Amino acid sequence: MSAVATSVARHYDARGARALPSDGPAPVVNMGYWRATRAARAARAPTRLHDASLALFDLVLDEAAITPGDRVVDAGCGFGLASLRAIERGAASVIGLNVSRAQLAHARALAENAGHGSRAQFVCASATQMPLEPESAHAVVSIEAAFHFDDRDAFFDEARRVLAPGGRLVIADLVLTPPANVVEAGMLSHLSRALAFPLANAYDLAAYQTRVRRAGLVVESCRSIAHDVLPAFRRWMARNALRHRAIRDDLALAPYLLYPWDYALVVARRPEVA
């Protein structure tokens, strides 16, 4: 693994199964989607991080249009919850890739307990060097992980390689908007070290879309969902700061709350064979 991937693995292995304090039956490691929509499968906006996290998984899987028999890759799979939801939608198999061995162990246990051990495989590998055959997947999804990858461009290239013609790539991702001044540049540099992401991934939504296209993928949509992610998650963090050291450490990083992040939902596909 690269130095960046090793840093990411250490970051999440140190936090273990409680990367965030669970307010539901399983651990979570994303900011959630806090909007009541059909995609979120709820009549009201979530109030728990667990429910908001499931809503984010469902939003991505809906966009990926998972159908029975599909082979799915979950790049940066966290604790495996999105992978298991893809199985529940009828996916023939899911391969979850992660560099955190602590999270992979939990994902494997969840899959076995749910009776999906034969269809969900969790592999310690980087999403920028997938141990998969070309054109072997119908869908590649990545949920709040690609900003860690070293770098995203390599991931986009790998996604195109492993996708079958017509296959879909769907990404929900924290967008590290470029700094507008010296103060923001210092904040971003500090966050890069503390949260384990490469500064090479610091670009805006327009550049994100351009880079996905450069990998040879057709971008169907690329939009900000920050309004439905960041404000509610930050309020949730403030309410739960006393419950967990990881949140206190994050909140102690003033840039974590002050930096002008964006949050993207990107849908692309590999072109059909001419």
Side-chain angles (χ1 to χ4, degrees):
M1 292 191 298
S2 71
V4 170
T6 300
S7 176
V8 172
R10 283 199 296 260
H11 177 80
Y12 284 109
D13 283 345
R15 294 191 173 203
R18 288 178 59 82
L20 293 169
S22 177
D23 57 5
V28 296
V29 65
N30 68 63
M31 297 181 177
Y33 187 67
W34 302 80
R35 181 178 182 182
T37 67
R38 182 178 63 177
R41 306 192 188 287
R44 296 179 357 186
T47 57
R48 299 191 305 171
L49 178 60
H50 179 78
D51 297 328
S53 296
L54 297 185
L56 184 61
F57 298 151
D58 286 336
L59 178 67
V60 169
L61 295 175
D62 282 348
E63 294 288 351
I66 304 298
T67 58
D70 280 356
R71 298 184 301 276
V72 179
V73 177
D74 185 359
C77 64
F79 296 107
L81 291 178
S83 297
L84 298 187
R85 289 178 91 75
I87 292 290
E88 291 165 0
R89 289 171 178 241
S93 64
V94 178
I95 296 178
L97 306 177
N98 199 334
V99 296
S100 168
R101 296 185 183 277
Q103 292 183 357
L104 286 168
H106 203 282
R108 292 177 185 128
L110 283 179
E112 289 295 332
N113 290 340
H116 297 320
S118 63
R119 294 164 62 193
Q121 181 181 1
F122 295 99
V123 179
C124 187
S126 169
T128 63
Q129 293 179 307
M130 299 186 194
L132 304 172
E133 294 296 320
E135 301 185 5
S136 59
H138 297 102
V140 174
V141 300
S142 182
I143 302 169
E144 205 172 301
F147 73 100
H148 286 302
F149 297 163
D150 187 22
D151 55 17
R152 282 199 199 104
D153 289 349
F155 166 59
F156 302 151
D157 289 339
E158 277 291 87
R160 187 190 187 284
R161 182 183 69 83
V162 304
L163 280 171
R168 294 167 75 82
L169 168 66
V170 184
I171 309 168
D173 196 16
L174 191 63
V175 176
L176 315 165
T177 49
N181 51 53
V182 173
V183 172
E184 287 187 0
M187 292 167 66
L188 186 63
S189 179
H190 184 60
L191 288 167
S192 171
R193 295 189 298 272
L195 301 180
F197 61 80
L199 288 173
N201 288 338
Y203 45 80
D204 63 16
L205 205 57
Y208 205 121
Q209 182 171 230
T210 296
R211 288 167 180 259
V212 173
R213 285 188 175 131
R214 190 182 300 159
L217 296 160
V218 177
V219 177
E220 296 185 344
S221 66
C222 180
R223 62 187 177 91
S224 173
I225 57 171
H227 180 74
D228 296 315
V229 175
L230 297 174
F233 176 69
R234 284 168 168 164
R235 290 193 295 270
W236 182 90
M237 288 185 73
R239 289 196 304 271
N240 290 275
L242 297 179
R243 295 179 55 203
H244 200 261
R245 178 178 175 180
I247 285 187
R248 295 197 300 273
D249 289 347
D250 286 342
L251 289 175
L253 300 170
Y256 194 88
L257 293 178
L258 300 177
Y259 197 81
W261 312 103
D262 199 353
Y263 202 102
L265 180 66
V266 182
V267 182
R269 61 178 171 81
R270 178 170 174 170
E272 299 280 359
V273 176

